[in-house]
Amino acid sequence: MSEIHLDRVTLREIRLPLRRPFRISSGTVSDRRILLLEIRDRSGAVGWSECVAAEQPNYSPETVDTAWLMLERWLVPATVGKSFDGPRAIHPHLEKVARGHPMAKGALEMGVWELAARMEGVPLSRLLGGVRDTVDVGISLGLQDSPEALAQEARAALKDGFRKIKLKIGPGEDYAYVAAVREALGPDVPLMVDANSAYTLEDADDLARLDEFGLMMIEQPLDRADLLRHAKLQARIRTPICLDESIDSVDRAQDMLELESGRIVNLKPGRVGGFAPSLAIHDLCRERDVPVWCGGMLESGIGRGHNVALASLENFRLPGDLSPSARYWERDIVDPEWTMDSEGRVTVPRDRPGIGVEVDEERVESLTVRREEFMAGSSVS
Ligand code: OSB
Ligand code: MG
């Protein structure tokens, strides 16, 4: 692995309207504000990444604005102008610079991995140790106005080929919705729900009623900090619990496994601080025979490329939230856009360097609303 010397980092915020608003139990998003990083090595090679922090602090305490602040004030200045002995060295470095803020750190870390893959001329999936040529794709359906409307969406998704259907739920928008979808799809279609922390342990009886639908899993029913309460809930319901928001570090994954707070992990590299912690969580779960799958955060094609590369690892055993570009955007910011075949699979680019798609820089430029460039010893807005 050659040495990486970070010469220049450019932060950008772009606006990208979703084709349709996406509603979860804690809020709705219509226009994405996406933080992109462009990272250049002394050799002139460039890597791209995307921060998964959202517009509102309703999924995680981090937002686009807190991530921008952390990157601008602390993380980028501590990194630009420095040399690293390969991309694995970035994560421990950033852990020394600041506490918390895994999404801000993850964006920078993943951009350096992408840069390293391009410098080596290898696909990012290979640099990460991926083994799959394709990854199974699931869809995450936002909350709808009625059970019938949701069942309609689910039917269409099944017809499109998606290999897993995930429904957002919340108190008062659960049992009847899941019932309508299960009825519409039949008993054998892989179906799951995601509550985005909308319940408390007091709701255990209501959640146990969902057991009758044979769900693959229920994702993040309780608060992010509720590892102990998730363990208590898991003891009371048959449906496997999958954690998403709770797992923001390797240590939290270890705690989950020790406490038996759940049986499946939704692994989003941008949520756990990047690829190095993702690989550690992947391996930890594999040792315990706990399946992981790759979640999504309504990413553009850049973040999608990072996720697809990671999802090519062995223990990603369940379909990922890796919907094609056209589901989210009129037009994505990468070329080619991400697609899914009729069998519900996305192809892992195994013969092109980095994420395997090219960033449409002109389009990125035209969508940019904020930009800041950092070079060793200076910052230029
Ligand atoms: O909880 O997995 C989640 C989107 C935004 C924030 C949180 C979540 C989601 C999704 C969408 O479920 C997955 C996707 O990107 O398609
Ligand atoms: Mg989730």
Side-chain angles (χ1 to χ4, degrees):
M1 180 70 58
S2 49
E3 187 172 84
I4 301 166
H5 183 86
L6 298 179
D7 219 29
R8 189 184 74 188
V9 175
T10 308
L11 305 182
R12 281 170 195 276
E13 180 185 329
I14 62 164
R15 296 288 157 102
L16 202 56
L18 283 165
R19 274 189 143 162
R20 292 168 55 202
F22 189 75
R23 181 159 71 94
I24 67 174
S25 60
S26 54
T28 305
V29 53
S30 310
D31 279 326
R32 292 276 359 254
R33 294 174 56 196
I34 301 177
L35 172 41
L36 299 179
L37 272 70
E38 183 188 352
I39 303 174
R40 196 178 67 181
D41 171 78
R42 181 151 57 189
S43 67
V46 166
W48 283 86
S49 64
E50 165 171 355
C51 182
V52 298
E55 297 74 18
Q56 313 162 49
N58 64 328
Y59 167 86
S60 124
E62 293 187 83
T63 66
V64 181
D65 297 302
T66 70
W68 184 287
L69 178 76
M70 287 307 294
L71 284 159
E72 168 189 64
R73 174 92 202 265
W74 301 101
L75 304 174
V76 175
T79 307
V80 85
K82 293 216 162 67
S83 295
F84 296 90
D85 199 15
R88 275 183 187 276
I90 298 290
H91 175 67
H93 168 72
L94 296 179
E95 285 305 292
K96 282 193 216 118
V97 176
R99 310 270 185 216
H101 302 279
M103 293 179 173
K105 289 172 179 170
L108 184 52
E109 201 253 15
M110 292 159 76
V112 176
W113 279 86
E114 217 266 320
L115 168 65
R118 290 194 186 261
M119 287 170 70
E120 304 272 312
V122 300
L124 179 59
S125 63
R126 196 157 104 216
L127 196 61
L128 294 170
V131 295
R132 300 173 192 280
D133 294 327
T134 64
V135 179
D136 289 0
V137 179
I139 192 169
S140 173
L141 298 175
L143 287 161
Q144 302 296 318
D145 292 337
S146 69
E148 297 69 38
L150 183 61
Q152 190 53 42
E153 295 267 317
R155 249 188 247 111
L158 187 64
K159 207 161 145 254
D160 287 341
F162 287 100
R163 293 186 157 251
K164 181 187 79 183
I165 294 179
K166 161 166 143 181
L167 313 175
K168 292 292 185 176
I169 59 164
E173 294 177 286
D174 42 27
Y175 188 88
Y177 286 77
V178 183
V181 172
R182 185 45 103 195
E183 172 71 27
L185 301 182
D188 299 328
V189 169
L191 183 63
M192 63 167 291
V193 293
D194 184 358
N196 290 110
S197 299
Y199 297 91
T200 70
L201 194 52
E202 317 262 280
D203 301 314
D205 289 340
D206 286 339
L207 294 171
R209 287 179 71 213
L210 299 176
D211 281 344
E212 71 181 79
F213 299 117
L215 302 174
M216 296 169 85
M217 68 192 98
I218 176 168
E219 185 174 332
Q220 198 70 39
L222 311 180
D223 189 76
R224 60 206 314 279
D226 280 345
L227 283 181
L228 205 53
R229 293 180 192 86
H230 275 108
K232 290 183 177 169
L233 178 64
Q234 183 66 90
R236 288 174 62 180
I237 65 177
R238 260 202 328 270
T239 307
I241 290 176
C242 167
L243 293 184
D244 174 359
E245 284 91 324
S246 290
I247 310 300
D248 60 1
S249 67
V250 182
D251 287 345
R252 285 300 79 68
Q254 200 153 29
D255 293 348
M256 167 192 168
L257 297 170
E258 282 303 311
L259 290 165
E260 298 185 37
S261 313
R263 300 184 189 142
I264 300 173
V265 173
N266 172 335
L267 186 43
K268 297 174 179 172
R271 188 198 63 222
V272 302
F275 286 128
S278 295
L279 297 176
I281 293 170
H282 170 271
D283 293 354
L284 209 54
C285 289
R286 188 181 46 193
E287 282 161 29
R288 303 282 194 111
D289 201 25
V290 167
V292 307
W293 57 280
C294 188
M297 292 287 287
L298 311 175
E299 288 95 344
S300 78
I302 295 175
R304 176 69 73 253
H306 288 268
N307 288 350
V308 167
L310 182 68
S312 71
L313 270 80
E314 185 193 348
N315 196 38
F316 282 80
R317 286 191 258 154
L318 299 165
D321 284 342
L322 301 165
S323 288
S325 303
R327 170 166 151 72
Y328 310 97
W329 323 111
E330 273 323 314
R331 207 172 122 210
D332 206 335
I333 57 171
V334 296
D335 183 30
E337 297 200 343
W338 293 96
T339 55
M340 177 179 82
D341 67 20
S342 60
E343 305 284 289
R345 297 198 167 95
V346 56
T347 299
V348 180
R350 304 283 280 171
D351 50 9
R352 277 165 293 169
I355 56 175
V357 295
E358 296 309 317
V359 175
D360 182 344
E361 296 192 35
E362 243 171 73
R363 180 155 163 75
V364 165
E365 185 63 33
S366 74
L367 296 167
T368 297
V369 295
R370 173 155 68 145
R371 182 182 195 281
E372 193 168 353
E373 193 174 284
F374 297 80
M375 299 204 273
S378 71
S379 135
V380 190
S381 275

